[in-house]
Amino acid sequence: GKKEDGTVTNELKVLDIENKSEFTWNLVKQKGKPPAKRYYHTMNLFEPSRILIIHGGKDDTETMNGSSVYFSDIVAFDLVKR
């Protein structure tokens, strides 16, 4: 996603809704190599296996001809094993 300052990141955060009066975003510690930084991607939860599926997106990096970098990859993230 993108941070408030416009920086593109590959951080994965989870929204903690336990405290109803104050929701907080917490960074998820990941094993292995994280996916490339991106935004404008889709992310869906495959509930039976607790796996996040991340597809596509865009990076602000420009190619030599000035066009943007778009992803067509699929990344699976296991929420149980992390």
PDB file of all heavy atoms in Angstrom, residues 36-58:
ATOM      1  N   ALA A  36       6.913  -7.711  -3.646  1.00  0.00           N
ATOM      2  CA  ALA A  36       7.345  -6.370  -4.043  1.00  0.00           C
ATOM      3  C   ALA A  36       6.366  -5.328  -3.512  1.00  0.00           C
ATOM      4  O   ALA A  36       5.172  -5.596  -3.361  1.00  0.00           O
ATOM      5  CB  ALA A  36       7.424  -6.282  -5.565  1.00  0.00           C
ATOM      6  N   LYS A  37       6.885  -4.127  -3.236  1.00  0.00           N
ATOM      7  CA  LYS A  37       6.019  -3.043  -2.782  1.00  0.00           C
ATOM      8  C   LYS A  37       5.019  -2.704  -3.882  1.00  0.00           C
ATOM      9  O   LYS A  37       5.341  -2.777  -5.072  1.00  0.00           O
ATOM     10  CB  LYS A  37       6.849  -1.826  -2.390  1.00  0.00           C
ATOM     11  CG  LYS A  37       7.683  -1.266  -3.509  1.00  0.00           C
ATOM     12  CD  LYS A  37       8.562  -0.147  -3.037  1.00  0.00           C
ATOM     13  CE  LYS A  37       9.342   0.413  -4.228  1.00  0.00           C
ATOM     14  NZ  LYS A  37      10.097   1.582  -3.882  1.00  0.00           N
ATOM     15  N   ARG A  38       3.777  -2.363  -3.464  1.00  0.00           N
ATOM     16  CA  ARG A  38       2.717  -2.126  -4.449  1.00  0.00           C
ATOM     17  C   ARG A  38       1.513  -1.439  -3.830  1.00  0.00           C
ATOM     18  O   ARG A  38       1.351  -1.407  -2.625  1.00  0.00           O
ATOM     19  CB  ARG A  38       2.268  -3.447  -5.066  1.00  0.00           C
ATOM     20  CG  ARG A  38       1.616  -4.371  -4.042  1.00  0.00           C
ATOM     21  CD  ARG A  38       1.313  -5.763  -4.550  1.00  0.00           C
ATOM     22  NE  ARG A  38       2.541  -6.480  -4.757  1.00  0.00           N
ATOM     23  CZ  ARG A  38       2.702  -7.439  -5.667  1.00  0.00           C
ATOM     24  NH1 ARG A  38       1.703  -7.813  -6.415  1.00  0.00           N
ATOM     25  NH2 ARG A  38       3.849  -8.043  -5.812  1.00  0.00           N
ATOM     26  N   TYR A  39       0.669  -0.929  -4.675  1.00  0.00           N
ATOM     27  CA  TYR A  39      -0.650  -0.424  -4.294  1.00  0.00           C
ATOM     28  C   TYR A  39      -1.579  -0.669  -5.483  1.00  0.00           C
ATOM     29  O   TYR A  39      -1.150  -1.151  -6.525  1.00  0.00           O
ATOM     30  CB  TYR A  39      -0.599   1.052  -3.877  1.00  0.00           C
ATOM     31  CG  TYR A  39      -0.218   2.035  -4.961  1.00  0.00           C
ATOM     32  CD1 TYR A  39      -1.173   2.841  -5.546  1.00  0.00           C
ATOM     33  CD2 TYR A  39       1.100   2.151  -5.388  1.00  0.00           C
ATOM     34  CE1 TYR A  39      -0.822   3.750  -6.530  1.00  0.00           C
ATOM     35  CE2 TYR A  39       1.461   3.063  -6.360  1.00  0.00           C
ATOM     36  CZ  TYR A  39       0.496   3.855  -6.930  1.00  0.00           C
ATOM     37  OH  TYR A  39       0.843   4.749  -7.912  1.00  0.00           O
ATOM     38  N   TYR A  40      -2.862  -0.384  -5.342  1.00  0.00           N
ATOM     39  CA  TYR A  40      -3.886  -0.701  -6.353  1.00  0.00           C
ATOM     40  C   TYR A  40      -3.965  -2.204  -6.628  1.00  0.00           C
ATOM     41  O   TYR A  40      -4.293  -2.630  -7.735  1.00  0.00           O
ATOM     42  CB  TYR A  40      -3.674   0.048  -7.670  1.00  0.00           C
ATOM     43  CG  TYR A  40      -4.000   1.515  -7.627  1.00  0.00           C
ATOM     44  CD1 TYR A  40      -3.246   2.414  -8.341  1.00  0.00           C
ATOM     45  CD2 TYR A  40      -5.056   1.998  -6.875  1.00  0.00           C
ATOM     46  CE1 TYR A  40      -3.530   3.771  -8.309  1.00  0.00           C
ATOM     47  CE2 TYR A  40      -5.343   3.348  -6.831  1.00  0.00           C
ATOM     48  CZ  TYR A  40      -4.581   4.222  -7.563  1.00  0.00           C
ATOM     49  OH  TYR A  40      -4.863   5.559  -7.532  1.00  0.00           O
ATOM     50  N   HIS A  41      -3.653  -3.004  -5.631  1.00  0.00           N
ATOM     51  CA  HIS A  41      -3.733  -4.454  -5.754  1.00  0.00           C
ATOM     52  C   HIS A  41      -5.051  -4.944  -5.156  1.00  0.00           C
ATOM     53  O   HIS A  41      -5.778  -4.177  -4.536  1.00  0.00           O
ATOM     54  CB  HIS A  41      -2.559  -5.119  -5.021  1.00  0.00           C
ATOM     55  CG  HIS A  41      -2.457  -4.716  -3.590  1.00  0.00           C
ATOM     56  ND1 HIS A  41      -1.924  -3.492  -3.208  1.00  0.00           N
ATOM     57  CD2 HIS A  41      -2.840  -5.326  -2.450  1.00  0.00           C
ATOM     58  CE1 HIS A  41      -1.977  -3.392  -1.887  1.00  0.00           C
ATOM     59  NE2 HIS A  41      -2.531  -4.489  -1.396  1.00  0.00           N
ATOM     60  N   THR A  42      -5.340  -6.205  -5.362  1.00  0.00           N
ATOM     61  CA  THR A  42      -6.478  -6.821  -4.687  1.00  0.00           C
ATOM     62  C   THR A  42      -5.934  -7.770  -3.629  1.00  0.00           C
ATOM     63  O   THR A  42      -4.847  -8.344  -3.788  1.00  0.00           O
ATOM     64  CB  THR A  42      -7.387  -7.610  -5.648  1.00  0.00           C
ATOM     65  OG1 THR A  42      -6.643  -8.683  -6.221  1.00  0.00           O
ATOM     66  CG2 THR A  42      -7.931  -6.724  -6.745  1.00  0.00           C
ATOM     67  N   MET A  43      -6.679  -7.924  -2.555  1.00  0.00           N
ATOM     68  CA  MET A  43      -6.290  -8.857  -1.504  1.00  0.00           C
ATOM     69  C   MET A  43      -7.561  -9.523  -0.992  1.00  0.00           C
ATOM     70  O   MET A  43      -8.521  -8.839  -0.632  1.00  0.00           O
ATOM     71  CB  MET A  43      -5.583  -8.143  -0.358  1.00  0.00           C
ATOM     72  CG  MET A  43      -5.060  -9.104   0.687  1.00  0.00           C
ATOM     73  SD  MET A  43      -4.225  -8.349   2.113  1.00  0.00           S
ATOM     74  CE  MET A  43      -3.210  -7.104   1.411  1.00  0.00           C
ATOM     75  N   ASN A  44      -7.562 -10.844  -1.004  1.00  0.00           N
ATOM     76  CA  ASN A  44      -8.729 -11.604  -0.566  1.00  0.00           C
ATOM     77  C   ASN A  44      -8.294 -12.675   0.407  1.00  0.00           C
ATOM     78  O   ASN A  44      -7.202 -13.232   0.293  1.00  0.00           O
ATOM     79  CB  ASN A  44      -9.432 -12.253  -1.765  1.00  0.00           C
ATOM     80  CG  ASN A  44      -9.957 -11.209  -2.719  1.00  0.00           C
ATOM     81  OD1 ASN A  44     -10.950 -10.569  -2.439  1.00  0.00           O
ATOM     82  ND2 ASN A  44      -9.265 -11.017  -3.824  1.00  0.00           N
ATOM     83  N   LEU A  45      -9.173 -12.986   1.341  1.00  0.00           N
ATOM     84  CA  LEU A  45      -8.907 -14.036   2.320  1.00  0.00           C
ATOM     85  C   LEU A  45      -9.587 -15.319   1.879  1.00  0.00           C
ATOM     86  O   LEU A  45     -10.798 -15.337   1.641  1.00  0.00           O
ATOM     87  CB  LEU A  45      -9.417 -13.625   3.697  1.00  0.00           C
ATOM     88  CG  LEU A  45      -9.319 -14.679   4.791  1.00  0.00           C
ATOM     89  CD1 LEU A  45      -7.860 -15.031   5.071  1.00  0.00           C
ATOM     90  CD2 LEU A  45     -10.014 -14.206   6.056  1.00  0.00           C
ATOM     91  N   PHE A  46      -8.806 -16.384   1.742  1.00  0.00           N
ATOM     92  CA  PHE A  46      -9.364 -17.715   1.497  1.00  0.00           C
ATOM     93  C   PHE A  46      -9.566 -18.328   2.873  1.00  0.00           C
ATOM     94  O   PHE A  46      -8.637 -18.848   3.487  1.00  0.00           O
ATOM     95  CB  PHE A  46      -8.423 -18.551   0.628  1.00  0.00           C
ATOM     96  CG  PHE A  46      -8.968 -19.900   0.288  1.00  0.00           C
ATOM     97  CD1 PHE A  46     -10.113 -20.026  -0.478  1.00  0.00           C
ATOM     98  CD2 PHE A  46      -8.347 -21.041   0.738  1.00  0.00           C
ATOM     99  CE1 PHE A  46     -10.628 -21.265  -0.795  1.00  0.00           C
ATOM    100  CE2 PHE A  46      -8.855 -22.293   0.433  1.00  0.00           C
ATOM    101  CZ  PHE A  46      -9.996 -22.402  -0.337  1.00  0.00           C
ATOM    102  N   GLU A  47     -10.776 -18.198   3.399  1.00  0.00           N
ATOM    103  CA  GLU A  47     -11.092 -18.496   4.791  1.00  0.00           C
ATOM    104  C   GLU A  47     -10.776 -19.932   5.242  1.00  0.00           C
ATOM    105  O   GLU A  47     -10.195 -20.109   6.311  1.00  0.00           O
ATOM    106  CB  GLU A  47     -12.569 -18.181   5.074  1.00  0.00           C
ATOM    107  CG  GLU A  47     -12.976 -18.377   6.516  1.00  0.00           C
ATOM    108  CD  GLU A  47     -12.247 -17.465   7.496  1.00  0.00           C
ATOM    109  OE1 GLU A  47     -11.997 -16.315   7.177  1.00  0.00           O
ATOM    110  OE2 GLU A  47     -11.933 -17.934   8.606  1.00  0.00           O
ATOM    111  N   PRO A  48     -11.125 -20.958   4.467  1.00  0.00           N
ATOM    112  CA  PRO A  48     -10.873 -22.316   4.984  1.00  0.00           C
ATOM    113  C   PRO A  48      -9.417 -22.577   5.366  1.00  0.00           C
ATOM    114  O   PRO A  48      -9.145 -23.272   6.332  1.00  0.00           O
ATOM    115  CB  PRO A  48     -11.300 -23.227   3.829  1.00  0.00           C
ATOM    116  CG  PRO A  48     -12.264 -22.414   3.035  1.00  0.00           C
ATOM    117  CD  PRO A  48     -11.792 -20.996   3.158  1.00  0.00           C
ATOM    118  N   SER A  49      -8.489 -21.992   4.637  1.00  0.00           N
ATOM    119  CA  SER A  49      -7.065 -22.221   4.897  1.00  0.00           C
ATOM    120  C   SER A  49      -6.392 -21.034   5.587  1.00  0.00           C
ATOM    121  O   SER A  49      -5.206 -21.096   5.895  1.00  0.00           O
ATOM    122  CB  SER A  49      -6.328 -22.499   3.592  1.00  0.00           C
ATOM    123  OG  SER A  49      -6.858 -23.635   2.960  1.00  0.00           O
ATOM    124  N   ARG A  50      -7.115 -19.927   5.789  1.00  0.00           N
ATOM    125  CA  ARG A  50      -6.555 -18.707   6.390  1.00  0.00           C
ATOM    126  C   ARG A  50      -5.358 -18.206   5.580  1.00  0.00           C
ATOM    127  O   ARG A  50      -4.296 -17.905   6.104  1.00  0.00           O
ATOM    128  CB  ARG A  50      -6.172 -18.924   7.850  1.00  0.00           C
ATOM    129  CG  ARG A  50      -7.289 -19.404   8.740  1.00  0.00           C
ATOM    130  CD  ARG A  50      -8.293 -18.362   9.115  1.00  0.00           C
ATOM    131  NE  ARG A  50      -7.650 -17.266   9.854  1.00  0.00           N
ATOM    132  CZ  ARG A  50      -8.122 -16.042   9.887  1.00  0.00           C
ATOM    133  NH1 ARG A  50      -9.199 -15.733   9.229  1.00  0.00           N
ATOM    134  NH2 ARG A  50      -7.514 -15.099  10.563  1.00  0.00           N
ATOM    135  N   ILE A  51      -5.548 -18.126   4.266  1.00  0.00           N
ATOM    136  CA  ILE A  51      -4.503 -17.654   3.358  1.00  0.00           C
ATOM    137  C   ILE A  51      -4.978 -16.377   2.669  1.00  0.00           C
ATOM    138  O   ILE A  51      -6.086 -16.321   2.136  1.00  0.00           O
ATOM    139  CB  ILE A  51      -4.148 -18.735   2.317  1.00  0.00           C
ATOM    140  CG1 ILE A  51      -3.481 -19.914   3.013  1.00  0.00           C
ATOM    141  CG2 ILE A  51      -3.255 -18.172   1.221  1.00  0.00           C
ATOM    142  CD1 ILE A  51      -3.157 -21.066   2.111  1.00  0.00           C
ATOM    143  N   LEU A  52      -4.117 -15.355   2.699  1.00  0.00           N
ATOM    144  CA  LEU A  52      -4.377 -14.123   1.964  1.00  0.00           C
ATOM    145  C   LEU A  52      -3.854 -14.288   0.545  1.00  0.00           C
ATOM    146  O   LEU A  52      -2.727 -14.737   0.344  1.00  0.00           O
ATOM    147  CB  LEU A  52      -3.640 -12.942   2.592  1.00  0.00           C
ATOM    148  CG  LEU A  52      -4.245 -12.291   3.810  1.00  0.00           C
ATOM    149  CD1 LEU A  52      -3.318 -11.187   4.317  1.00  0.00           C
ATOM    150  CD2 LEU A  52      -5.617 -11.729   3.536  1.00  0.00           C
ATOM    151  N   ILE A  53      -4.653 -13.928  -0.419  1.00  0.00           N
ATOM    152  CA  ILE A  53      -4.254 -13.963  -1.820  1.00  0.00           C
ATOM    153  C   ILE A  53      -4.126 -12.513  -2.293  1.00  0.00           C
ATOM    154  O   ILE A  53      -5.084 -11.740  -2.225  1.00  0.00           O
ATOM    155  CB  ILE A  53      -5.291 -14.695  -2.696  1.00  0.00           C
ATOM    156  CG1 ILE A  53      -5.613 -16.076  -2.127  1.00  0.00           C
ATOM    157  CG2 ILE A  53      -4.829 -14.754  -4.146  1.00  0.00           C
ATOM    158  CD1 ILE A  53      -4.472 -17.040  -2.131  1.00  0.00           C
ATOM    159  N   ILE A  54      -2.920 -12.149  -2.743  1.00  0.00           N
ATOM    160  CA  ILE A  54      -2.656 -10.796  -3.227  1.00  0.00           C
ATOM    161  C   ILE A  54      -2.401 -10.881  -4.725  1.00  0.00           C
ATOM    162  O   ILE A  54      -1.617 -11.718  -5.175  1.00  0.00           O
ATOM    163  CB  ILE A  54      -1.419 -10.204  -2.514  1.00  0.00           C
ATOM    164  CG1 ILE A  54      -1.645 -10.203  -0.997  1.00  0.00           C
ATOM    165  CG2 ILE A  54      -1.118  -8.803  -3.035  1.00  0.00           C
ATOM    166  CD1 ILE A  54      -0.389 -10.006  -0.202  1.00  0.00           C
ATOM    167  N   HIS A  55      -3.081 -10.035  -5.490  1.00  0.00           N
ATOM    168  CA  HIS A  55      -2.924 -10.074  -6.948  1.00  0.00           C
ATOM    169  C   HIS A  55      -2.689  -8.682  -7.504  1.00  0.00           C
ATOM    170  O   HIS A  55      -3.355  -7.719  -7.148  1.00  0.00           O
ATOM    171  CB  HIS A  55      -4.169 -10.669  -7.609  1.00  0.00           C
ATOM    172  CG  HIS A  55      -4.094 -10.632  -9.101  1.00  0.00           C
ATOM    173  ND1 HIS A  55      -4.789  -9.710  -9.846  1.00  0.00           N
ATOM    174  CD2 HIS A  55      -3.389 -11.363  -9.982  1.00  0.00           C
ATOM    175  CE1 HIS A  55      -4.519  -9.902 -11.133  1.00  0.00           C
ATOM    176  NE2 HIS A  55      -3.675 -10.882 -11.238  1.00  0.00           N
ATOM    177  N   GLY A  56      -1.723  -8.613  -8.411  1.00  0.00           N
ATOM    178  CA  GLY A  56      -1.527  -7.408  -9.202  1.00  0.00           C
ATOM    179  C   GLY A  56      -1.048  -6.205  -8.422  1.00  0.00           C
ATOM    180  O   GLY A  56      -0.372  -6.313  -7.410  1.00  0.00           O
ATOM    181  N   GLY A  57      -1.402  -5.058  -8.922  1.00  0.00           N
ATOM    182  CA  GLY A  57      -1.016  -3.808  -8.298  1.00  0.00           C
ATOM    183  C   GLY A  57      -0.076  -2.996  -9.164  1.00  0.00           C
ATOM    184  O   GLY A  57       0.205  -3.326 -10.319  1.00  0.00           O
ATOM    185  N   LYS A  58       0.412  -1.933  -8.577  1.00  0.00           N
ATOM    186  CA  LYS A  58       1.232  -0.967  -9.292  1.00  0.00           C
ATOM    187  C   LYS A  58       2.319  -0.469  -8.358  1.00  0.00           C
ATOM    188  O   LYS A  58       2.125  -0.393  -7.153  1.00  0.00           O
ATOM    189  CB  LYS A  58       0.326   0.182  -9.728  1.00  0.00           C
ATOM    190  CG  LYS A  58       1.002   1.302 -10.405  1.00  0.00           C
ATOM    191  CD  LYS A  58       0.022   2.399 -10.749  1.00  0.00           C
ATOM    192  CE  LYS A  58       0.823   3.464 -11.433  1.00  0.00           C
ATOM    193  NZ  LYS A  58       0.335   4.744 -11.480  1.00  0.00           N
TER     194      LYS A  58
END
